[in-house]
Amino acid sequence: MFLGVDIGSSSSKAVILNNQREVLSTAVINTGTGTRGPEKAVATALEQAELITSDIEYTVVTGYGRITYDKADRQITEISCHGRGAFFLAPQAKTIIDIGGQDAKIIRLDNNGRIENFVMNEKCAAGTGRFLEVMARILDCGIGELSDLSLRTTKELAISSTCTVFAESEVISQLAAGAAKEDVAQGAHRSVANRIAGLAARIGVRQKVVMTGGVALNASMVACLAQEIGHEITVLPMSQVVGALGAALYAVES
Amino acid sequence: MEPKKTSKDLLSDLLTKHYEEAAEAKKNGEIVAWSTSIAPQELLETLDIKVVYPENHSAAIGARKCAQEFIDQAEGDSYSNDLCSYARVNVGYMTIQESVAGNIPLPDVLFCCNNICNTVIKWYENIAKELNIPMILFDMPFNHEYEVSENNVRYIRGQFESAIKQLEGISGKKFDRDRFKKVMGISSETAKWWKKSTSLAIAKPSPLNGFDMFNYMATIVCMRGKQEGLDLFKLWAEELQEKIDRKEGPWKDQEEKYRIMWDGIACWPHLGNTYKVLKKYGINMVTSTYPDSWKIVYENDDLDGMARAYSSNYVNRNLDFGTDNIVNLVNDFSLDGIVFHSNRSCKLMDFRQYEVQRKVQARTGIPSVIFDGDQTDPRAFSLAQYETRIQALVEMMEQNKRKDA
Amino acid sequence: MKHLLSLIAELETAALNPIKTLKKTMDTSKKSAVGCFPYYTPDELVYAAGFIPVGLWGGQTDIKLADTYLQSFCCSIMRENMEQGMRGQYDFLSAIIIPTYCDTLKCICENWKVAVPQVPLIPMVYPQNRKIQAGIDYLVSEYKRVQEILEDLSGEKVTEESLASSFALYEEYRKAMREFTAMAVHYPITINAKTRQLIIKAAYFMDKKDYVPQLQELCRSLSALPYEKFAGKKVVMTGIMAEPAGLLDIFVQNNVAVAADDLADSSRQFRLESSRGNTVYEKMACRIADQCGCSLLFDAEKERGQLLVDLVKDTGSDGIVVAMMKFCDPEEFDYPIYKKELEAANIPILYLEIEQKMDSLEQIRTRVQSFIEMLG
């Protein structure tokens, strides 16, 4: 059996495969590097697959916390792992958009599923899940509700600031001036979509476009993004664990 | 009898004609130049080479609120969002070549003068490379001393001579020195009248309405060497004087309550909003550092004088000169306060702003505020921040008024 | 081998302890030092006037005081220089030369007069129209103007002999640097990415008359070894500088060797040999006129792209690493142009946005690792 572990800054994921590359179990824990999240993710995955630690032949770790994780046989970056995992789930995938809580990345694959190019934004909250969290807080709702709210928009409302801090004050002013919550919610989605589209333009978008990461579960976000990049987007199943899946696949191949 | 045209009408006509002539020239296979805004256009005018000014064009695109499309194009082509937004818009336009704000033909030669900044050198280098066309550079050494030095004048003059040869080669025409003399005469005169008109805002209340000066700037850029440009500024001066004689202020419906200087260029995409907030409080922008920057005045046929004049604008001078410049404006125009636009696109102005603010404050005692904005990128501005800061300025100016009373 | 390693260690130590090295240089030579801002300064003139020219290329100090003068979107080299100047770290210098190559430098020059008044400032303008005769004449006049100021400071005149011998020394230094970098391509293990940069950097804090023989000795020792077989990736670096130091550690940890560079603080300083000019001033000015592919010097042909393609091909490298100094407008303008040329030549590019002080290098580590994984 083969284990892939993806340790992010705010969540830990694990995937176990057998040597026919069948997924035996997956686990997602909402704490990341520096906590017991990675341990718990592995433990949960093992339990679900009814396995014990010694059943694992090879482990590959990826993600921000991979450097300090000492229980793996090898560490590979999340770019390669996301690419690997996405290609496995969707062999036609040429462009992968991954929007996480704190970062965003776009990966281009060639016809053989190898990484052709990539671009990342990990410095700026705009264009990541964090931006939506900030907006949700202002609108006094959860992320799930933010998505629902945005679907009920009736008027186009632009949040023009690229800086999250500026955008906050912009939105507060708009609400104070009587703007509808639904329109603001949609504006927030459009803002993130614009940022991602801009990032993607730098390396070019090619069909088929797939999306991974936590924000992919936000249907409104996906629709908005598809509009901005001008291509259909397929949300991959198991979108949150694509990185760990890729790591596990690398483990099988080792 | 036809009613006499106002300077505003004339302004609009001249700009339309300016763009039409360039388009026509390009269609007829004549060469067209792109030039920076304070460049020795006398040379182009003498050779009758049509020219358009990308800065004017980018500003117009910004004011029409359609800059985003061009910025997205440029950033998609890997231009950093740290770079001047005039450049990003222009580079994006070179690919898209279509705008509701009007179109400009692509150039055959570039005319680049870095007295306004060194960014234009890099911007124009890229255009030259992309279009494979010649680039004529006028390098105006930064004046770290108070006055423009003799060495600098000699170097600039040498570049004028070199450029004339280059232009003769490119245009296939002979440079007519007599025509040049005439053009120099008109250009210098037009610049004098630009200064005269804008100086009429010294009157209290000022006949100049807020951002009006920014609108006329387009023509001091592109009409300097033409008789029609000279006529326009004479007309404008006449109108302003008439307003002063009638004791008319900037607005029909409101009194001019506070007089300020606006440091930096306008926030074109947010022109309406930035203007409305000022007007709400009765704040009139009566001057800026731009009038003097186009005061390209020199004696007839004095190439050294012309070299010196082109090197003398505000941003190409040292901090001491700059501070004196603004202190003089504070006194001459009876200013109550200053609004500093920390323009994300303009590092040459921004990285001296804090010290200039302190020095002017120390010497004049008048209050000022700094706000974050951008000349053409609509995203780098927060109306909430701007309003708060203007309000704060009003409170400080009000305090001063009460103190003086 | 042991001898070679100790020579290397000596130069690395010198580079890692700039102030100590400089102070030692000043003590031994009994000379004072003149600070030289980026990017090109008349070092030969400074040396002929009896001073040690020391490069001031920023640092790793926390920014506090510089915020009084500069918004946050100012490039980190200048912010760092400003900060260090305001903290008095340059007070021991006899003077500082600030040339005005970019808009930021113009402002720094002006702010410096107010913020760091305790060290004499020598502003200088290098002509952008450097190739025409008027430009060469102008630069010569600037050299002469600066020479007079240096003479006032030292109390001594610069003779023709001292100028000639100083220029000859610097030509020798540049030649030695070219030989070293050409040789280092074949020894990516002994002269790894970090060692290479440190050896180059050491020269900034030493008297060239001591540095050159040390480097030549190192090269002699190195040439006795057989060429090294290397399983890692070779890259060409381009940008202002290969900083922060942690970046080079990441290269070494990931078996990435720097085969050649187009960095402002490295090869751009010495890749060009003097080839024309009647007087020393003209020779110096012509070197500036003939330089190509530098973002800070006007170049309508934009030859940097071709220069990079050639460097990659000549060294058999696997790709280009762009060390993009954040907020550096000239570098940011060059990028889209040379990027296209590199892509047309199928050369992979790794784009890294760097600042001098970077508290977290994890993001760089991920990108470097991903790049290697991508190269396969």
Side-chain angles (χ1 to χ4, degrees):
Chain A
M1 312 307 162
F2 302 89
L3 172 64
V5 186
D6 180 359
I7 309 175
S9 41
S10 50
S11 63
S12 313
K13 283 94 60 172
V15 168
I16 300 182
L17 302 175
N18 61 19
N19 48 13
Q20 275 89 42
R21 293 163 200 219
E22 288 163 337
V23 178
L24 299 180
S25 66
T26 72
V28 179
I29 303 292
N30 287 326
T31 53
T33 185
T35 70
R36 302 194 50 212
E39 258 180 71
K40 277 165 113 174
V42 172
T44 310
L46 284 171
E47 211 188 290
Q48 273 185 29
E50 287 168 15
L51 296 169
I52 53 175
T53 316
S54 50
D55 293 327
I56 302 294
E57 252 179 75
Y58 202 90
T59 305
V60 169
V61 65
T62 186
Y64 182 64
R66 71 187 182 287
I67 311 292
T68 46
Y69 188 73
D70 55 6
K71 299 191 192 63
D73 297 293
R74 197 171 154 203
Q75 38 129 323
I76 300 179
T77 69
E78 54 268 42
I79 298 288
S80 298
C81 288
H82 263 90
R84 195 75 193 73
F87 185 67
F88 180 77
L89 295 171
Q92 261 85 49
K94 295 282 180 299
T95 310
I96 305 164
I97 301 178
D98 175 74
I99 309 178
Q102 265 134 349
D103 67 4
K105 37 189 173 294
I106 322 270
I107 303 166
R108 280 272 308 276
L109 300 177
D110 65 16
N111 296 334
N112 299 315
R114 283 200 305 261
I115 312 281
E116 218 173 48
N117 210 341
F118 63 92
V119 64
M120 296 168 78
N121 161 39
E122 347 74 317
K123 283 197 177 158
C124 180
T128 71
R130 174 59 53 84
F131 186 86
L132 295 174
E133 275 170 42
V134 169
M135 291 296 132
R137 191 171 27 88
I138 299 172
L139 293 173
D140 200 23
C141 65
I143 287 282
E145 286 171 67
L146 187 78
S147 180
D148 292 336
L149 266 177
S150 73
L151 294 170
R152 298 202 296 274
T153 182
T154 52
K155 203 174 92 171
E156 187 70 39
L157 185 147
I159 299 173
S160 60
S161 308
T162 31
C163 167
T164 306
V165 173
F166 264 18
E168 248 191 278
S169 70
E170 200 183 328
V171 161
I172 291 172
S173 303
Q174 280 173 344
L175 287 172
K181 278 184 166 185
E182 294 79 5
D183 300 336
V184 171
Q186 173 60 359
H189 285 82
R190 175 121 359 241
S191 196
V192 174
N194 276 331
R195 281 293 269 192
I196 300 296
L199 203 63
R202 280 199 243 154
I203 53 170
V205 174
R206 271 176 62 214
Q207 300 264 50
K208 181 177 156 153
V209 182
V210 304
M211 203 163 151
T212 63
V215 176
L217 300 172
N218 179 335
S220 179
M221 190 64 245
V222 178
C224 211
L225 187 51
Q227 260 176 27
E228 289 304 323
I229 62 171
H231 289 270
E232 228 181 271
I233 298 180
T234 307
V235 175
L236 293 182
M238 304 167 36
S239 73
Q240 278 182 294
V241 299
V242 173
L245 171 63
L249 285 165
Y250 275 118
V252 171
E253 283 150 30
S254 289
Chain B
M1 198 176 85
E2 228 185 80
K4 185 172 171 208
K5 279 206 163 154
T6 64
S7 69
K8 259 228 161 78
D9 296 329
L10 199 55
L11 166 64
S12 174
D13 287 348
L14 286 177
L15 284 174
T16 307
K17 188 168 157 214
H18 161 74
Y19 285 115
E20 275 172 4
E21 273 181 10
E24 192 65 29
K26 189 76 183 190
K27 227 171 65 181
N28 294 337
E30 291 167 40
I31 59 169
V32 169
W34 275 10
S35 171
T36 53
S37 54
I38 313 184
Q41 46 79 38
E42 292 86 335
L43 304 185
L44 295 170
E45 186 63 37
T46 303
L47 286 166
D48 198 22
I49 295 175
K50 298 289 180 284
V51 52
V52 285
Y53 297 86
E55 291 158 67
N56 271 358
H57 188 233
S58 291
I61 288 177
R64 283 292 292 263
K65 298 191 200 292
C66 45
Q68 197 60 56
E69 179 195 359
F70 303 98
I71 289 174
D72 287 343
Q73 176 68 46
E75 290 178 8
D77 289 332
S78 294
Y79 279 84
S80 169
N81 68 355
D82 177 49
L83 294 171
C84 166
S85 57
Y86 274 175
R88 278 180 282 147
V89 167
N90 182 237
V91 161
Y93 177 80
M94 277 170 60
T95 306
I96 296 173
Q97 289 187 58
E98 185 64 46
S99 168
V100 296
N103 295 337
I104 50 175
L106 292 185
D108 306 288
V109 61
L110 296 170
F111 211 65
C112 178
C113 185
N114 72 338
N115 49 5
I116 56 176
C117 64
N118 275 14
T119 297
V120 295
I121 300 180
K122 303 303 295 180
W123 170 9
Y124 277 53
E125 264 182 22
N126 283 15
I127 303 175
K129 179 82 174 180
E130 291 281 21
L131 301 180
N132 197 20
I133 57 178
M135 174 172 163
I136 299 177
L137 174 67
F138 297 96
D139 176 34
M140 304 282 159
F142 177 66
N143 296 298
H144 49 84
E145 292 168 353
Y146 200 86
E147 302 290 358
V148 181
S149 74
E150 281 313 308
N151 278 347
N152 288 2
V153 170
R154 192 175 314 125
Y155 168 47
I156 296 168
R157 199 209 158 122
Q159 292 176 78
F160 283 172
E161 300 287 2
S162 172
I164 288 172
K165 286 202 191 69
Q166 246 184 304
L167 282 170
E168 282 180 324
I170 295 168
S171 68
K173 300 184 200 169
K174 187 87 184 71
F175 192 79
D176 182 348
R177 297 268 166 178
D178 287 325
R179 170 115 198 252
F180 184 37
K181 219 171 136 174
K182 283 205 184 77
V183 171
M184 280 171 85
I186 296 178
S187 303
S188 191
E189 195 64 15
T190 309
K192 282 198 193 121
W193 277 93
W194 157 257
K195 180 75 186 304
K196 269 199 204 149
S197 323
T198 52
S199 293
L200 289 170
I202 284 177
K204 286 170 84 164
S206 161
L208 250 188
N209 168 352
F211 292 164
D212 256 352
M213 188 219 62
F214 285 137
N215 295 326
Y216 284 84
M217 244 169 64
T219 36
I220 191 61
V221 169
C222 67
M223 291 279 139
R224 208 153 64 250
K226 296 190 188 290
Q227 186 61 42
E228 299 116 307
L230 178 53
D231 293 339
L232 170 70
F233 289 107
K234 281 186 170 163
L235 179 59
W236 192 32
E238 214 179 279
E239 290 169 358
L240 292 174
Q241 187 58 57
E242 283 171 10
K243 275 183 90 174
I244 293 173
D245 295 339
R246 293 195 298 268
K247 298 217 184 344
E248 270 175 43
W251 305 299
K252 291 197 161 55
D253 54 352
Q254 216 181 304
E255 295 275 297
E256 174 187 272
K257 204 163 169 210
Y258 303 103
R259 299 164 61 90
I260 59 140
M261 176 190 114
W262 178 283
D263 180 68
I265 195 70
C267 289
W268 295 112
H270 301 283
L271 209 53
N273 277 336
T274 46
Y275 172 63
K276 279 190 205 127
V277 171
L278 292 180
K279 186 169 177 215
K280 184 163 94 175
Y281 294 102
I283 302 174
N284 191 21
M285 171 195 147
V286 299
T287 190
S288 82
T289 51
Y290 286 95
D292 276 337
S293 292
W294 271 283
K295 199 182 128 202
I296 318 284
V297 169
Y298 45 84
E299 293 305 313
N300 234 19
D301 214 16
D302 177 12
L303 215 52
D304 281 352
M306 187 174 139
R308 181 172 282 110
Y310 271 107
S311 179
S312 301
N313 54 313
Y314 176 76
V315 287
N316 207 30
R317 308 296 289 272
N318 73 9
L319 211 53
D320 285 341
F321 180 88
T323 308
D324 285 349
N325 188 196
I326 295 181
V327 168
N328 289 337
L329 291 175
V330 170
N331 295 326
D332 293 343
F333 286 80
S334 316
L335 298 183
D336 301 303
I338 301 178
V339 173
F340 288 97
H341 172 196
S342 180
N343 177 358
R344 187 59 180 82
S345 280
C346 189
K347 293 178 182 177
L348 185 55
M349 287 211 71
D350 293 344
F351 296 158
R352 66 164 64 199
Q353 238 166 21
Y354 293 168
E355 184 57 20
V356 166
Q357 186 192 32
R358 282 190 291 266
K359 282 187 145 85
V360 170
Q361 167 85 30
R363 281 172 61 181
T364 65
I366 66 161
S368 59
V369 288
I370 303 179
F371 77 93
D372 296 306
D374 187 271
Q375 56 205 38
T376 19
D377 190 333
R379 305 168 296 188
F381 172 76
S382 160
L383 188 56
Q385 190 214 57
Y386 176 73
E387 284 218 58
T388 306
R389 305 222 172 159
I390 298 298
Q391 232 184 310
L393 179 65
V394 171
E395 285 159 17
M396 290 189 281
M397 293 191 293
E398 186 55 41
Q399 216 178 296
N400 275 7
K401 275 207 154 64
R402 273 189 263 124
K403 217 166 48 177
D404 292 337
Chain C
M1 188 66 181
K2 228 173 98 177
H3 178 54
L4 172 63
L5 290 178
S6 81
L7 287 169
I8 291 175
E10 219 183 302
L11 287 177
E12 283 184 326
T13 309
L16 288 168
N17 300 285
I19 302 292
K20 201 159 144 216
T21 308
L22 185 57
K23 294 262 163 83
K24 185 166 143 215
T25 305
M26 289 166 72
D27 284 338
T28 335
S29 63
K30 307 258 187 298
K31 293 182 187 173
S32 311
V34 166
C36 297
F37 263 56
Y39 291 89
Y40 305 98
T41 41
D43 292 18
E44 298 94 325
L45 207 53
V46 171
Y47 194 80
F51 299 100
I52 303 286
V54 52
L56 301 179
W57 290 70
Q60 253 94 51
T61 316
D62 279 322
I63 304 291
K64 270 193 332 235
L65 305 173
D67 286 340
T68 318
Y69 292 91
L70 304 166
Q71 284 91 333
S72 60
F73 45 87
C74 174
C75 83
S76 57
I77 306 181
M78 292 307 146
R79 274 178 101 200
E80 286 288 339
N81 275 0
M82 196 76 194
E83 183 73 28
Q84 288 167 168
M86 289 173 78
R87 287 195 192 198
Q89 287 172 21
Y90 299 146
D91 285 1
F92 69 97
L93 296 170
S94 301
I96 294 183
I97 297 178
I98 301 186
T100 55
Y101 291 101
C102 66
D103 295 331
T104 300
L105 273 165
K106 294 177 190 176
C107 295
I108 296 294
C109 173
E110 289 307 303
N111 285 325
W112 199 268
K113 296 174 186 174
V114 186
V116 194
Q118 66 269 30
V119 185
L121 174 67
I122 307 177
M124 237 191 117
V125 182
Y126 273 68
Q128 287 292 342
N129 233 331
R130 56 209 166 93
K131 296 184 192 279
I132 61 176
Q133 193 57 45
I136 301 208
D137 292 342
Y138 180 74
L139 186 49
V140 169
S141 74
E142 275 293 277
Y143 287 148
K144 292 185 174 160
R145 181 180 69 80
V146 169
Q147 180 179 320
E148 271 184 46
I149 300 173
L150 290 168
E151 285 170 340
D152 284 340
L153 281 170
S154 70
E156 280 173 39
K157 285 259 173 254
V158 172
T159 64
E160 260 191 60
E161 289 81 36
S162 64
L163 195 51
S165 70
S166 173
F167 186 74
L169 173 60
Y170 272 77
E171 276 292 284
E172 209 191 330
Y173 152 69
R174 291 187 274 262
K175 182 156 175 252
M177 297 309 299
R178 291 193 295 271
E179 281 171 1
F180 166 67
T181 50
M183 201 181 283
V185 181
H186 305 291
Y187 301 97
I189 300 170
T190 305
I191 310 292
N192 66 31
K194 188 167 181 180
T195 301
R196 183 186 187 278
Q197 289 315 110
L198 288 177
I199 290 176
I200 293 175
K201 204 157 173 180
Y204 277 67
F205 314 110
M206 292 172 68
D207 189 328
K208 298 296 184 281
K209 101 167 165 331
D210 299 324
Y211 177 81
V212 172
Q214 274 188 274
L215 183 66
Q216 287 169 336
E217 172 68 21
L218 192 155
C219 285
R220 269 195 297 276
S221 235
L222 193 59
S223 66
L225 298 176
Y227 286 176
E228 289 170 345
K229 282 207 174 0
F230 184 62
K233 299 289 176 213
K234 295 198 304 197
V235 298
V236 172
M237 281 197 80
T238 186
I240 298 295
M241 27 195 339
E243 296 229 338
L247 166 65
L248 296 170
D249 286 327
I250 292 173
F251 275 25
V252 174
Q253 283 155 17
N254 285 280
N255 233 5
V256 174
V258 174
D261 77 81
D262 167 48
L263 297 170
D265 75 342
S266 307
S267 290
R268 286 191 210 168
Q269 296 292 322
F270 50 75
R271 67 184 175 216
L272 196 65
E273 188 182 349
S274 163
S275 63
R276 58 192 183 106
N278 295 322
T279 64
V280 168
Y281 306 111
E282 279 176 20
K283 289 186 213 233
M284 287 166 66
C286 288
R287 266 196 76 241
I288 296 292
D290 297 338
Q291 174 85 310
C292 86
C294 174
S295 49
L296 283 312
L297 297 174
F298 170 53
D299 175 17
E301 320 292 314
K302 292 202 88 91
E303 296 175 295
R304 186 170 173 185
Q306 190 57 50
L307 189 140
L308 291 174
V309 170
D310 291 343
L311 276 177
V312 169
K313 294 220 163 89
D314 293 344
T315 55
S317 294
D318 300 295
I320 290 265
V321 174
V322 177
M324 182 58 72
M325 177 66 69
K326 198 163 164 149
F327 303 128
C328 177
D329 293 45
E331 285 284 313
E332 287 164 355
F333 265 111
D334 277 0
Y335 177 65
I337 303 291
Y338 69 70
K339 174 180 181 253
K340 270 207 279 209
E341 291 179 67
L342 290 170
E343 283 171 351
N346 283 320
I347 296 173
I349 305 169
L350 171 62
Y351 181 93
L352 300 174
E353 197 179 68
I354 57 163
E355 290 176 273
Q356 287 199 301
K357 189 159 163 59
M358 288 181 86
D359 293 316
S360 167
L361 290 165
E362 286 322 305
Q363 296 162 1
I364 293 200
R365 188 188 306 279
T366 302
R367 289 185 200 221
V368 170
Q369 250 184 294
S370 303
F371 185 62
I372 296 166
E373 288 162 12
M374 185 179 103
L375 291 175

